[in-house]
Amino acid sequence: MAASDERIFVQAIRRYCAGHGIAVDVRADGWLIAMRRGDERRFAFGYDIGLNSAIAHRLANDKSATSEALALERVPCIPHHLFLNPKLGRNVVGHGWREAMLGLLRDHPQGAVVKPNEGTSGRSVFKVTTEAELDHAASEVFSMSAGLVISPYVAIEDEVRVVLLDEVPLVVYSKQRGTDWRHNLDAGAKPTLLDDSEVRTACVKLAIDAARAIGITFSSIDLVCVDGDWRVLEINSGVMMEALGKLHPALVQATYDAALDRVFDRVHSER
Protein backbone atom coordinates (compact mmCIF):
# COMPACT_ATOMS: atom_id res chain seq x y z
CA MET A 1 0.00 0.00 0.00
CA ALA A 2 1.37 3.41 -0.98
CA ALA A 3 1.86 5.89 1.84
CA SER A 4 -0.61 8.25 0.16
CA ASP A 5 -3.29 5.55 0.32
CA GLU A 6 -2.85 4.95 4.04
CA ARG A 7 -5.33 6.21 6.57
CA ILE A 8 -4.46 9.57 8.12
CA PHE A 9 -4.20 7.78 11.47
CA VAL A 10 -1.42 5.54 10.12
CA GLN A 11 0.38 8.45 8.47
CA ALA A 12 0.28 10.41 11.72
CA ILE A 13 1.85 7.54 13.66
CA ARG A 14 4.54 7.16 11.01
CA ARG A 15 5.41 10.87 11.25
CA TYR A 16 5.51 10.79 15.04
CA CYS A 17 7.73 7.73 15.15
CA ALA A 18 10.08 9.11 12.49
CA GLY A 19 10.52 12.29 14.53
CA HIS A 20 11.15 10.49 17.83
CA GLY A 21 13.49 7.67 16.87
CA ILE A 22 10.81 5.02 17.27
CA ALA A 23 10.80 2.01 14.97
CA VAL A 24 7.43 1.36 13.39
CA ASP A 25 6.13 -1.78 11.71
CA VAL A 26 2.78 -1.49 9.92
CA ARG A 27 0.90 -4.75 9.43
CA ALA A 28 -2.53 -5.89 8.20
CA ASP A 29 -2.95 -2.93 5.83
CA GLY A 30 -2.42 -0.51 8.69
CA TRP A 31 -4.88 -2.00 11.17
CA LEU A 32 -2.04 -3.24 13.40
CA ILE A 33 0.94 -1.00 14.08
CA ALA A 34 3.87 -2.03 16.27
CA MET A 35 6.03 0.74 17.73
CA ARG A 36 9.37 -0.06 19.36
CA ARG A 37 11.67 2.15 21.41
CA GLY A 38 14.56 0.26 22.91
CA ASP A 39 13.21 -2.77 24.72
CA GLU A 40 9.67 -1.41 24.93
CA ARG A 41 6.98 -2.15 22.36
CA ARG A 42 3.56 -0.56 22.05
CA PHE A 43 0.75 -1.29 19.63
CA ALA A 44 -1.96 0.64 17.85
CA PHE A 45 -4.94 -1.39 16.70
CA GLY A 46 -7.66 0.03 14.50
CA TYR A 47 -7.91 3.60 15.77
CA ASP A 48 -6.87 2.74 19.33
CA ILE A 49 -3.35 3.66 20.48
CA GLY A 50 -3.58 1.78 23.76
CA LEU A 51 -3.92 4.63 26.26
CA ASN A 52 -7.20 3.45 27.75
CA SER A 53 -7.71 0.73 30.32
CA ALA A 54 -9.30 -2.49 29.13
CA ILE A 55 -12.54 -1.81 31.00
CA ALA A 56 -12.84 1.78 29.74
CA HIS A 57 -12.22 0.54 26.20
CA ARG A 58 -14.90 -2.14 26.50
CA LEU A 59 -17.44 0.23 28.01
CA ALA A 60 -16.87 2.80 25.28
CA ASN A 61 -17.21 0.18 22.54
CA ASP A 62 -20.52 -1.04 23.99
CA LYS A 63 -23.29 1.50 23.38
CA SER A 64 -25.62 -0.04 25.93
CA ALA A 65 -22.96 -0.23 28.64
CA THR A 66 -21.96 3.38 27.95
CA SER A 67 -25.50 4.66 28.36
CA GLU A 68 -25.96 2.65 31.58
CA ALA A 69 -22.69 3.93 33.05
CA LEU A 70 -23.55 7.52 32.14
CA ALA A 71 -27.02 7.17 33.67
CA LEU A 72 -25.47 5.93 36.91
CA GLU A 73 -23.48 9.17 37.11
CA ARG A 74 -26.48 11.27 36.03
CA VAL A 75 -24.73 12.40 32.85
CA PRO A 76 -27.40 13.35 30.27
CA CYS A 77 -27.36 10.82 27.43
CA ILE A 78 -29.41 9.13 24.75
CA PRO A 79 -30.58 5.76 26.16
CA HIS A 80 -29.58 2.61 24.30
CA HIS A 81 -31.54 -0.54 25.17
CA LEU A 82 -29.69 -3.81 24.56
CA PHE A 83 -31.12 -6.89 22.83
CA LEU A 84 -28.95 -9.96 22.38
CA ASN A 85 -29.08 -12.02 19.22
CA PRO A 86 -31.65 -14.83 19.66
CA LYS A 87 -29.20 -17.18 17.94
CA LEU A 88 -27.25 -17.13 21.21
CA GLY A 89 -29.99 -19.34 22.66
CA ARG A 90 -32.89 -18.93 25.09
CA ASN A 91 -30.69 -19.53 28.12
CA VAL A 92 -28.78 -16.36 27.19
CA VAL A 93 -31.44 -14.23 25.55
CA GLY A 94 -34.50 -15.29 27.51
CA HIS A 95 -38.12 -14.93 26.44
CA GLY A 96 -40.12 -11.93 25.35
CA TRP A 97 -37.34 -10.03 23.61
CA ARG A 98 -39.40 -9.23 20.51
CA GLU A 99 -42.35 -8.00 22.58
CA ALA A 100 -39.95 -5.79 24.52
CA MET A 101 -38.71 -4.35 21.20
CA LEU A 102 -42.28 -3.65 20.12
CA GLY A 103 -42.93 -2.02 23.48
CA LEU A 104 -40.10 0.42 22.88
CA LEU A 105 -41.50 1.21 19.45
CA ARG A 106 -44.93 1.88 20.96
CA ASP A 107 -43.33 4.12 23.57
CA HIS A 108 -41.72 6.19 20.81
CA PRO A 109 -44.32 6.80 18.09
CA GLN A 110 -41.99 9.32 16.46
CA GLY A 111 -39.71 6.39 15.65
CA ALA A 112 -36.77 4.46 17.00
CA VAL A 113 -33.20 3.87 15.85
CA VAL A 114 -31.85 0.33 15.59
CA LYS A 115 -28.11 -0.27 15.29
CA PRO A 116 -25.39 -2.73 16.34
CA ASN A 117 -24.39 -2.51 19.98
CA GLU A 118 -20.78 -2.26 18.84
CA GLY A 119 -19.48 -0.51 15.77
CA THR A 120 -18.88 2.93 14.30
CA SER A 121 -19.43 5.15 11.27
CA GLY A 122 -23.20 4.76 11.09
CA ARG A 123 -23.20 1.43 9.28
CA SER A 124 -26.30 -0.77 9.63
CA VAL A 125 -28.23 2.01 11.36
CA PHE A 126 -31.98 2.03 10.75
CA LYS A 127 -34.75 4.46 11.60
CA VAL A 128 -37.98 2.50 12.14
CA THR A 129 -41.58 3.54 12.72
CA THR A 130 -43.51 0.32 12.03
CA GLU A 131 -43.40 -3.28 13.19
CA ALA A 132 -42.34 -4.43 9.72
CA GLU A 133 -39.47 -1.93 9.64
CA LEU A 134 -38.40 -3.01 13.12
CA ASP A 135 -38.35 -6.68 12.15
CA HIS A 136 -36.33 -5.92 9.00
CA ALA A 137 -33.81 -3.79 10.90
CA ALA A 138 -33.42 -6.38 13.66
CA SER A 139 -32.88 -9.14 11.12
CA GLU A 140 -30.24 -7.11 9.29
CA VAL A 141 -28.34 -6.20 12.45
CA PHE A 142 -28.58 -9.66 13.99
CA SER A 143 -27.17 -11.13 10.76
CA MET A 144 -23.82 -9.49 11.57
CA SER A 145 -23.85 -8.69 15.28
CA ALA A 146 -24.21 -10.45 18.62
CA GLY A 147 -26.44 -7.67 19.89
CA LEU A 148 -28.36 -4.58 18.88
CA VAL A 149 -29.49 -1.47 20.66
CA ILE A 150 -32.68 0.52 20.26
CA SER A 151 -32.80 4.19 21.09
CA PRO A 152 -35.58 6.74 20.65
CA TYR A 153 -35.42 8.69 17.41
CA VAL A 154 -34.83 12.33 18.30
CA ALA A 155 -34.68 15.44 16.16
CA ILE A 156 -31.01 16.38 16.44
CA GLU A 157 -30.53 20.13 16.20
CA ASP A 158 -26.74 19.98 16.30
CA GLU A 159 -24.00 17.43 16.89
CA VAL A 160 -20.54 18.09 18.29
CA ARG A 161 -17.53 15.84 18.71
CA VAL A 162 -14.98 16.51 21.46
CA VAL A 163 -11.59 14.79 21.44
CA LEU A 164 -10.25 14.59 24.99
CA LEU A 165 -6.86 13.63 26.36
CA ASP A 166 -6.60 13.55 30.15
CA GLU A 167 -9.75 15.73 30.30
CA VAL A 168 -8.16 18.38 28.05
CA PRO A 169 -10.11 19.19 24.86
CA LEU A 170 -7.71 18.93 21.93
CA VAL A 171 -10.32 19.12 19.17
CA VAL A 172 -13.92 20.36 19.22
CA TYR A 173 -15.98 20.45 16.05
CA SER A 174 -19.57 20.27 14.89
CA LYS A 175 -20.87 17.88 12.26
CA GLN A 176 -22.87 19.68 9.59
CA ARG A 177 -25.33 17.13 8.26
CA GLY A 178 -25.57 16.53 4.51
CA THR A 179 -28.55 14.94 2.75
CA ASP A 180 -28.72 12.02 5.21
CA TRP A 181 -30.68 12.17 8.48
CA ARG A 182 -27.60 10.87 10.28
CA HIS A 183 -24.70 13.09 11.38
CA ASN A 184 -21.99 10.52 10.66
CA LEU A 185 -19.01 11.86 8.76
CA ASP A 186 -19.06 8.77 6.57
CA ALA A 187 -22.63 9.68 5.61
CA GLY A 188 -21.59 13.05 4.21
CA ALA A 189 -21.54 15.29 7.29
CA LYS A 190 -18.85 17.99 7.27
CA PRO A 191 -16.66 18.83 10.28
CA THR A 192 -16.48 22.49 11.31
CA LEU A 193 -14.18 23.60 14.13
CA LEU A 194 -15.90 25.45 16.98
CA ASP A 195 -14.51 28.75 18.22
CA ASP A 196 -14.82 29.79 21.86
CA SER A 197 -18.51 30.07 22.64
CA GLU A 198 -21.15 29.03 25.13
CA VAL A 199 -21.87 25.96 23.00
CA ARG A 200 -18.22 24.92 22.97
CA THR A 201 -17.90 25.44 26.72
CA ALA A 202 -21.05 23.43 27.45
CA CYS A 203 -19.99 20.59 25.17
CA VAL A 204 -16.50 20.36 26.65
CA LYS A 205 -17.91 20.21 30.18
CA LEU A 206 -20.37 17.48 29.25
CA ALA A 207 -17.67 15.51 27.44
CA ILE A 208 -15.39 15.67 30.47
CA ASP A 209 -18.24 14.46 32.70
CA ALA A 210 -18.78 11.55 30.32
CA ALA A 211 -15.09 10.64 30.20
CA ARG A 212 -14.91 10.68 33.99
CA ALA A 213 -17.99 8.46 34.23
CA ILE A 214 -16.25 5.55 32.49
CA GLY A 215 -12.65 6.46 33.38
CA ILE A 216 -11.40 6.91 29.83
CA THR A 217 -8.16 8.76 29.00
CA PHE A 218 -8.17 9.35 25.23
CA SER A 219 -11.49 9.43 23.41
CA SER A 220 -13.78 11.19 21.01
CA ILE A 221 -17.19 11.91 22.48
CA ASP A 222 -20.25 12.63 20.38
CA LEU A 223 -22.82 15.02 21.80
CA VAL A 224 -26.22 15.93 20.38
CA CYS A 225 -28.51 18.88 21.03
CA VAL A 226 -32.16 17.88 21.41
CA ASP A 227 -34.84 20.41 22.36
CA GLY A 228 -32.11 22.84 23.30
CA ASP A 229 -30.33 20.46 25.70
CA TRP A 230 -27.01 18.67 25.12
CA ARG A 231 -26.75 14.92 25.70
CA VAL A 232 -24.07 12.30 25.13
CA LEU A 233 -24.75 10.09 22.13
CA GLU A 234 -21.71 7.81 22.37
CA ILE A 235 -18.07 7.57 23.44
CA ASN A 236 -15.40 6.27 21.08
CA SER A 237 -12.25 4.66 22.49
CA GLY A 238 -10.69 4.69 19.03
CA VAL A 239 -10.13 8.29 17.92
CA MET A 240 -10.82 8.56 14.20
CA MET A 241 -10.22 11.92 12.50
CA GLU A 242 -9.98 10.99 8.81
CA ALA A 243 -12.46 13.59 7.54
CA LEU A 244 -11.10 16.32 9.80
CA GLY A 245 -7.53 15.45 8.81
CA LYS A 246 -8.24 16.36 5.19
CA LEU A 247 -9.25 19.86 6.26
CA HIS A 248 -6.98 20.47 9.25
CA PRO A 249 -3.98 18.12 8.94
CA ALA A 250 -1.75 20.05 11.38
CA LEU A 251 -4.38 19.95 14.13
CA VAL A 252 -4.97 16.23 13.69
CA GLN A 253 -1.24 15.49 13.68
CA ALA A 254 -0.78 17.57 16.86
CA THR A 255 -3.61 15.67 18.54
CA TYR A 256 -2.16 12.25 17.77
CA ASP A 257 1.30 13.56 18.73
CA ALA A 258 0.01 14.58 22.16
CA ALA A 259 -1.57 11.17 22.69
CA LEU A 260 1.56 9.33 21.58
CA ASP A 261 3.66 11.54 23.88
CA ARG A 262 1.44 10.26 26.67
CA VAL A 263 1.97 6.65 25.56
CA PHE A 264 5.74 6.91 25.53
CA ASP A 265 6.00 9.12 28.62
CA ARG A 266 4.18 6.37 30.48
CA VAL A 267 6.65 3.83 29.15
CA HIS A 268 9.50 5.99 30.38
CA SER A 269 7.95 6.38 33.85
CA GLU A 270 7.54 2.60 34.21
CA ARG A 271 11.23 1.93 33.83
Side-chain angles (χ1 to χ4, degrees):
M1 180 183 294
S4 60
D5 295 329
E6 288 183 330
R7 292 176 296 139
I8 288 171
F9 177 78
V10 179
Q11 295 175 28
I13 290 178
R14 284 191 187 276
R15 291 190 192 100
Y16 179 88
C17 291
H20 292 79
I22 299 169
V24 61
D25 191 355
V26 177
R27 299 294 182 95
D29 292 331
W31 291 102
L32 175 65
I33 305 172
M35 298 168 282
R36 181 185 291 277
R37 184 178 68 176
D39 295 332
E40 300 290 344
R41 172 172 282 177
R42 289 294 183 265
F43 292 97
F45 184 75
Y47 285 95
D48 195 323
I49 64 170
L51 268 181
N52 299 318
S53 70
I55 190 63
H57 172 76
R58 292 195 67 181
L59 286 171
N61 284 351
D62 186 303
K63 295 178 178 63
S64 173
T66 293
S67 68
E68 295 284 3
L70 294 177
L72 284 172
E73 294 300 316
R74 302 185 186 278
V75 177
C77 65
I78 301 295
H80 288 74
H81 300 276
L82 175 66
F83 293 89
L84 294 176
N85 195 321
K87 293 179 182 178
L88 295 174
R90 289 187 177 182
N91 290 336
V92 175
V93 179
H95 300 279
W97 58 270
R98 185 174 180 275
E99 182 57 36
M101 284 186 178
L102 292 173
L104 285 174
L105 187 60
R106 288 192 294 268
D107 290 342
H108 302 290
Q110 77 280 11
V113 176
V114 179
K115 54 190 173 183
N117 188 38
E118 299 184 19
T120 59
S121 301
R123 297 180 180 88
S124 299
V125 177
F126 300 88
K127 177 187 175 185
V128 302
T129 57
T130 67
E131 181 176 340
E133 290 175 344
L134 176 61
D135 285 340
H136 170 73
S139 176
E140 288 292 316
V141 176
F142 280 148
S143 71
M144 47 78 71
S145 177
L148 62 76
V149 286
I150 298 179
S151 59
Y153 172 76
V154 293
I156 295 175
E157 297 155 13
D158 197 5
E159 181 167 347
V160 167
R161 173 168 287 181
V162 179
V163 177
L164 289 178
L165 175 63
D166 292 324
E167 300 186 5
V168 175
L170 300 183
V171 179
V172 184
Y173 63 88
S174 65
K175 300 181 186 180
Q176 303 301 316
R177 184 173 59 189
T179 57
D180 196 287
W181 60 271
R182 297 167 298 166
H183 281 67
N184 300 90
L185 298 176
D186 281 1
K190 303 298 182 184
T192 303
L193 294 177
L194 288 186
D195 296 325
D196 288 340
S197 63
E198 290 184 3
V199 168
R200 189 183 191 279
T201 299
C203 288
V204 167
K205 181 183 183 302
L206 181 56
I208 291 172
D209 289 343
R212 287 175 179 169
I214 69 168
I216 200 164
T217 300
F218 185 46
S219 64
S220 65
I221 300 177
D222 290 337
L223 314 169
V224 293
C225 186
V226 179
D227 295 329
D229 294 322
W230 287 96
R231 309 177 195 177
V232 177
L233 178 63
E234 62 182 43
I235 301 175
N236 304 288
S237 178
V239 178
M240 180 172 65
M241 295 184 286
E242 300 297 308
L244 186 68
K246 296 174 183 176
L247 300 174
H248 302 281
L251 175 62
V252 168
Q253 183 69 49
T255 300
Y256 285 131
D257 285 354
L260 288 163
D261 279 345
R262 176 79 159 74
V263 169
F264 287 100
D265 283 344
R266 182 179 65 181
V267 172
H268 179 73
S269 67
E270 289 173 351
R271 290 181 175 177

